[in-house]
Amino acid sequence: MKKYNIAIVGATGLVGQTFLQVLEERKFPIKNLYLMASSRSAGKKINFMGKDIVVEELNESSFDKDIDIALFSAGGDTSKKFSPIAASKGVIVVDNSSAFRMDDEVPLIVPEVNPGAVFNHKGIIANPNCSTIQSVVPLRVLDEKYKIKRIVYSTYQAVSGSGLAGIKDLENGLAGKPVENYPYQIAGNCLPHIDVFLENGNTKEEQKMIDETKKILRADVKVTATCVRVPVLHSHSVSMNIEFEKEFDVEEVKKDLASVKGLIVEDDVKNNIYPMAINSKGKDEVFVGRIRRDQSLDNGLNLWVVADNIRKGAATNTIQIAELLIAEDKGRKL
Ligand code: A2P
């Protein structure tokens, strides 16, 4: 089997560390693995499959070596500066930041939803926002059958979405210490404020969910979102209210959802079965439940969708994109 040279940019971060776990679990065919981070981490050793790898400082000549795919998760500014440098040297970048997601020349990919778009790249492919990824997984099949008119997202997002700093703020808050990352205490609180506020009143996180859903699904779908940070360590939950053009049958919808690869239906309310953050932690699938008609609309449906934001919402989706690339490689240079 052909093996590939892979680089991880942001290897010491929460998502970077999860890249390593997921690459190992999925037996990604790696020839050489290069780990890159800031000067703060240069020289640090990280173990991968029994071998210590020394972390390199990311710089302009980091991609002068033979690298097939670079997985980036080191923040938007790092991606903006270094992804084009990597791409100019023939490396395919799969970028976890929001830097290029809305760029017309950059495919935005959720492998269960729009895998075919992956090859329309010019060296950079974007991984969507964590909440967007889990939300669109159930939508493709429903849009194809019942045509979505409008989606209302309300999110309940874990602090790990803010990296190690978010986790620290929740842990400190529980110990009665002040926050450093969020504007207010997150322990025992809900913050309707994720990322910065925009001129139109949405936060950037809400705008990402709106814009990215349209880019992945269909430009003329109407979307609105309210994104809330909650005192949960791992896994985002999203309440989705969907209005369709066509009529549907709830039992048929359950079957439609059960047919989606990577989506698990957990919907047995008589036995208190529904998706929960505590159960999805560490899993690669998206979980959907509370599947029911919205009685206030002609063709309205409510769903509750949960996924591990660091795995399916970030690391796993990024590596699934890399798997799409190598599946079609057939021996040519990617
Ligand atoms: P470092 O650990 O050296 O700071 P998280 O969001 O979980 O905190 O992770 C951020 C990741 O991005 C870390 O691996 C961090 O490396 C990396 N990073 C942050 N800024 C830079 C930069 N300017 N150049 C390279 N890597 C960076």
Side-chain angles (χ1 to χ4, degrees), residues 10-14 37-38 40-41 58 73-74 78 163-164:
T12 50
L14 204 52
S38 76
R40 293 178 290 272
S41 309
L58 177 69
S73 191
T78 306
L164 296 169

Side-chain angles (χ1 to χ4, degrees), residues 26-206:
R26 297 173 79 95
K27 301 188 173 59
F28 196 95
I30 296 176
K31 192 172 0 164
N32 294 299
L33 180 64
Y34 301 100
L35 302 182
M36 301 169 190
S38 76
S39 56
R40 293 178 290 272
S41 309
K44 197 177 153 187
K45 285 184 188 143
I46 294 182
N47 194 278
F48 179 70
M49 298 186 76
K51 220 174 98 187
D52 278 341
I53 302 178
V54 179
V55 177
E56 306 168 32
E57 178 184 353
L58 177 69
N59 60 42
E60 271 146 48
S61 50
S62 293
F63 302 98
D64 289 349
K65 34 192 177 282
D66 182 16
I67 295 173
D68 298 303
I69 301 174
L71 312 175
F72 271 64
S73 191
D77 291 340
T78 306
S79 287
K80 268 191 200 127
K81 180 163 174 202
F82 290 97
S83 298
I85 296 175
S88 75
K89 295 185 176 165
V91 179
I92 300 183
V93 172
V94 189
D95 182 28
N96 193 48
S97 83
S98 61
F100 299 101
R101 287 181 192 149
M102 296 314 296
D103 188 321
D104 285 341
E105 297 196 326
V106 174
L108 185 64
I109 303 293
V110 178
E112 293 84 351
V113 182
N114 61 343
V118 79
F119 290 101
N120 301 333
H121 70 80
K122 300 214 160 108
I124 304 176
I125 298 163
N127 194 57
N129 168 272
C130 44
S131 298
T132 309
I133 292 175
Q134 69 184 71
S135 299
V136 297
V137 167
L139 290 179
R140 165 67 71 214
V141 66
L142 301 181
D143 190 45
E144 275 166 8
K145 280 186 76 169
Y146 313 113
K147 194 146 192 226
I148 296 171
K149 256 190 162 120
R150 177 171 184 255
I151 305 162
V152 182
Y153 292 131
S154 307
T155 73
Y156 304 70
Q157 297 185 219
V159 293
S160 53
S162 314
L164 296 169
I167 293 177
K168 197 170 157 209
D169 265 8
L170 177 55
E171 286 174 350
N172 279 347
L174 292 170
K177 296 185 200 150
V179 289
E180 290 166 18
N181 171 59
Y182 297 122
Y184 298 100
Q185 175 184 322
I186 184 68
N189 203 7
C190 297
L191 299 175
H193 177 181
I194 302 185
D195 210 327
V196 295
F197 285 101
L198 304 174
E199 278 292 307
N200 66 6
N202 284 334
T203 59
K204 204 165 159 195
E205 183 82 355
E206 289 157 354

Side-chain angles (χ1 to χ4, degrees), residues 171-293:
E171 286 174 350
N172 279 347
L174 292 170
K177 296 185 200 150
V179 289
E180 290 166 18
N181 171 59
Y182 297 122
Y184 298 100
Q185 175 184 322
I186 184 68
N189 203 7
C190 297
L191 299 175
H193 177 181
I194 302 185
D195 210 327
V196 295
F197 285 101
L198 304 174
E199 278 292 307
N200 66 6
N202 284 334
T203 59
K204 204 165 159 195
E205 183 82 355
E206 289 157 354
Q207 200 63 46
K208 283 178 201 169
M209 284 195 82
I210 295 166
D211 296 339
E212 293 177 21
T213 298
K214 287 164 174 271
K215 178 164 172 174
I216 296 166
L217 206 63
R218 194 156 43 81
D220 59 343
V221 171
K222 292 192 168 65
V223 188
T224 188
T226 299
C227 293
V228 180
R229 187 75 66 196
V230 295
V232 165
L233 277 175
H234 300 283
S235 291
H236 293 346
S237 305
V238 184
S239 157
M240 294 173 41
N241 178 261
I242 308 160
E243 185 180 2
F244 297 109
E245 283 187 7
K246 299 185 192 158
E247 289 179 5
F248 65 87
D249 172 75
V250 175
E251 290 311 310
E252 183 77 18
V253 163
K254 288 183 187 171
K255 285 187 199 141
D256 296 333
L257 294 171
S259 74
V260 178
K261 195 168 163 259
L263 182 66
I264 295 180
V265 175
E266 285 185 339
D267 191 83
D268 178 10
V269 289
K270 286 197 184 83
N271 292 304
N272 293 347
I273 302 293
Y274 35 75
M276 287 191 291
I278 53 171
N279 293 339
S280 76
K281 179 180 182 292
K283 308 254 172 71
D284 286 325
E285 295 87 0
V286 175
F287 298 84
V288 60
R290 302 295 324 279
I291 303 163
R292 67 205 193 276
R293 190 172 288 282

